[in-house]
Amino acid sequence: MNKRWILAMVLLLGTVILTACGQKYAAVPINEDVDICAICNMQVKDDAFATQLTTKDGKNFKFDDLGCMNEWKKENGTDNIGMDYVRDYNDKEWIEFNKATYVYDASLRTPMTYGIVNFKDKASAEAFVAEQGVGKIMSAEELTSHDWTQNMDKMKMDEEGHGHGHDEDGMKKDSEHDMGENMSKDMHQEGESKEGSDSH
């Protein structure tokens, strides 16, 4: 009887120790002054596109785009990842990568032009697709077979003066903005040509 009691106590104590020692992971805040992407070395903005992961040995890596976090996983593997996080597009709440819902379209503007936006639930993703008029809804599992192609045309536009793509409100506005710029240039050129003809 005493042996059984001692064995039960040992098992209970072991369970308590294991639970106490179990690693807990939590997303950490973004500090725009010091945080740079572990892959592309760009500033990690405190926005809806920031992602992060913490390894089992406690190292934290931040990324400015989900595509960059995917590149890190390809280079380093996933066995040593304790937890990885993305942010909800609407309220920037941190979500575990595997629990989020994703929307992809090459035309969606993200920092490194991978075109993937994150949501805490499928309903939010569906509402976003309805609003934008484009997008394929994907799960974390489906992302494992995604081709992760960057939109190089959009990347070139960003490099030529459109910034680093951190405009959360600019999903639909890129084409409208470009159209407005072109119209303004045309009007300016017309004005110059009229002035030139009037002077003769």
Side-chain angles (χ1 to χ4, degrees), residues 21-68:
C21 295
Q23 184 71 40
K24 291 185 178 179
Y25 304 98
V28 298
I30 299 295
N31 183 342
E32 293 185 355
D33 293 333
V34 298
D35 287 337
I36 61 170
C37 178
I39 290 295
C40 70
N41 294 319
M42 299 294 285
Q43 179 191 31
V44 178
K45 299 281 281 183
D46 188 19
D47 62 15
F49 303 108
T51 67
Q52 64 177 285
L53 63 82
T54 301
T55 60
K56 291 176 181 175
D57 51 1
K59 293 178 182 175
N60 182 267
F61 297 90
K62 297 188 180 80
F63 311 90
D64 65 338
D65 191 299
L66 180 59
C68 287

Side-chain angles (χ1 to χ4, degrees), residues 97-111:
F97 172 79
N98 286 328
K99 293 180 179 178
T101 301
Y102 302 88
V103 173
Y104 166 73
D105 191 86
S107 68
L108 297 178
R109 190 178 184 194
T110 67

Side-chain angles (χ1 to χ4, degrees), residues 53-88:
L53 63 82
T54 301
T55 60
K56 291 176 181 175
D57 51 1
K59 293 178 182 175
N60 182 267
F61 297 90
K62 297 188 180 80
F63 311 90
D64 65 338
D65 191 299
L66 180 59
C68 287
M69 186 163 77
N70 181 70
E71 282 298 309
W72 189 96
K73 291 177 181 179
K74 280 167 59 178
E75 292 176 10
N76 299 277
T78 58
D79 291 344
N80 194 39
I81 295 177
M83 187 57 68
D84 43 0
Y85 295 94
V86 299
R87 287 179 115 174
D88 178 70

Side-chain angles (χ1 to χ4, degrees), residues 50-186:
T51 67
Q52 64 177 285
L53 63 82
T54 301
T55 60
K56 291 176 181 175
D57 51 1
K59 293 178 182 175
N60 182 267
F61 297 90
K62 297 188 180 80
F63 311 90
D64 65 338
D65 191 299
L66 180 59
C68 287
M69 186 163 77
N70 181 70
E71 282 298 309
W72 189 96
K73 291 177 181 179
K74 280 167 59 178
E75 292 176 10
N76 299 277
T78 58
D79 291 344
N80 194 39
I81 295 177
M83 187 57 68
D84 43 0
Y85 295 94
V86 299
R87 287 179 115 174
D88 178 70
Y89 179 77
N90 294 315
D91 64 13
K92 296 192 226 175
E93 179 184 332
W94 289 107
I95 323 154
E96 292 179 19
F97 172 79
N98 286 328
K99 293 180 179 178
T101 301
Y102 302 88
V103 173
Y104 166 73
D105 191 86
S107 68
L108 297 178
R109 190 178 184 194
T110 67
M112 295 307 292
T113 69
Y114 284 96
I116 298 177
V117 186
N118 330 301
F119 297 91
K120 66 175 71 172
D121 52 52
K122 193 173 181 180
S124 300
E126 289 171 343
F128 177 83
V129 171
E131 179 188 342
Q132 298 295 320
V134 295
K136 175 185 178 184
I137 296 176
M138 304 177 74
S139 65
E141 186 177 350
E142 288 170 325
L143 284 179
T144 59
S145 58
H146 181 63
D147 62 11
W148 294 96
T149 302
Q150 288 174 282
N151 184 333
M152 299 314 294
D153 290 337
K154 198 168 282 291
M155 177 72 77
K156 188 177 178 183
M157 285 170 60
D158 286 344
E159 288 173 354
E160 289 176 351
H162 287 265
H164 184 46
H166 282 283
D167 181 7
E168 291 175 41
D169 298 321
M171 293 297 180
K172 271 186 155 180
K173 292 178 183 173
D174 281 351
S175 57
E176 293 169 10
H177 175 71
D178 295 341
M179 190 182 298
E181 277 193 346
N182 291 335
M183 285 174 66
S184 128
K185 283 179 186 173
D186 291 341

